[in-house]
Amino acid sequence: MAPLSDDVLGLIAVGEYTGGQWLREGALAERLGVSRTPVRDALRELAALGVLDLVPHRGARIREYAFADIEQIYHARARVEPAVVADAVPRLREDHLERLRQLSDRMHAMAQDSSRRPELSRLNNEFHRVFLDAADNRALASSALHLVTPLLVAHVFAAYSEEALARSLMHHDELILAAQSGDARWAEAIMTSHILSGLHGHRAAHAAAGESAPSAADPGGSFGQ
């Protein structure tokens, strides 16, 4: 992803812009200190990732995801991203591992501060991107990126309960251990558990908010059967 696209996505991740909101090229260009042309290119890239909808003669609007959409994304992601991680682990260098450790430390440090959940969500995305960027199979990594990014836009991670967040961070720590050991199969298994645990954390957050969700016995796609 181009750096400017990352900058725009970061603004969405921390809640500067929300689902359904229109993004104006001129305003973004002024805010980011660039011309309108690279902003236009960034918006096109984000639209391709499912972050935005480009509406002719109107501009770019941040996509809104329904509960069922997020469920489907989680099920697809649980099939794709673990394979990307397994592909990436043998290719991780020490600078990749150090980056994973730094991100994990920062996330643990802010985990108890609910006001920093949007920032935590952005760091979570960066953690996963380390594996995606290191993978040799670029087609598979691109598919995983298309599945991870909408969850960032929908602020799914930011809505986790404290228990779900603690479990997620524990998975990150175990992923680092598996990566340090060079054990691709261990890392793949952890990532599968991590994503499915995230799915249940998402369901719990919606249940706590009084919104309906499919039962565990009928997950609207039944991954893993």
Side-chain angles (χ1 to χ4, degrees):
M1 186 186 297
L4 191 62
S5 300
D6 259 334
D7 290 342
V8 177
L9 183 59
L11 293 173
I12 297 171
V14 299
E16 292 285 333
Y17 302 104
T18 59
Q21 188 171 350
W22 291 91
L23 297 180
R24 306 301 179 188
E25 289 180 9
L28 278 173
E30 183 176 352
R31 177 165 189 170
L32 298 171
V34 297
S35 68
R36 294 176 65 133
T37 298
V39 169
R40 189 175 302 120
D41 292 340
L43 295 180
R44 286 172 179 159
E45 183 175 18
L46 292 175
L49 288 171
V51 176
L52 310 169
D53 290 314
L54 297 179
V55 182
H57 311 299
R58 296 199 64 186
R61 183 172 59 189
I62 301 172
R63 187 172 295 181
E64 296 180 280
Y65 286 91
F67 183 89
D69 297 328
I70 299 300
E71 287 263 318
Q72 291 176 2
I73 290 169
Y74 264 112
H75 288 301
R77 187 180 167 209
R79 294 184 182 275
V80 175
E81 193 172 354
V84 177
V85 168
D87 182 53
V89 163
R91 297 169 176 81
L92 293 175
R93 304 183 304 269
E94 180 55 36
D95 59 311
H96 290 123
L97 297 173
E98 180 59 26
R99 180 60 176 158
L100 290 170
R101 288 189 287 263
Q102 291 174 352
L103 288 167
S104 180
D105 288 345
R106 290 174 64 187
M107 293 176 75
H108 278 289
M110 65 178 66
Q112 301 304 313
D113 186 349
S114 60
S115 69
R116 302 187 73 180
R117 283 295 184 90
E119 183 179 357
L120 199 63
S121 180
R122 182 181 60 79
L123 294 177
N124 178 65
N125 188 62
E126 290 186 30
F127 185 95
H128 285 259
R129 283 283 298 277
V130 172
F131 292 99
L132 270 58
D133 290 345
D136 183 59
N137 189 326
R138 299 315 304 160
L140 199 62
S142 178
S143 296
L145 180 61
H146 278 74
L147 294 168
V148 170
T149 306
L151 302 181
L152 182 67
V153 176
H155 302 288
V156 170
F157 189 79
Y160 280 3
S161 67
E162 290 187 9
E163 179 183 359
L165 177 59
R167 185 164 55 246
S168 180
L169 297 184
M170 178 186 68
H171 288 154
H172 284 185
D173 292 339
E174 194 171 359
L175 276 166
I176 293 172
L177 290 175
Q180 288 175 163
S181 72
D183 193 325
R185 293 189 65 184
W186 181 16
E188 183 177 17
I190 298 164
M191 183 57 79
T192 301
S193 296
H194 180 57
I195 293 169
L196 293 179
S197 175
L199 169 60
H200 285 275
H202 173 60
R203 288 173 174 165
H206 275 261
E211 301 182 40
S212 61
S215 68
D218 180 23
S222 297
F223 170 80
Q225 291 189 357

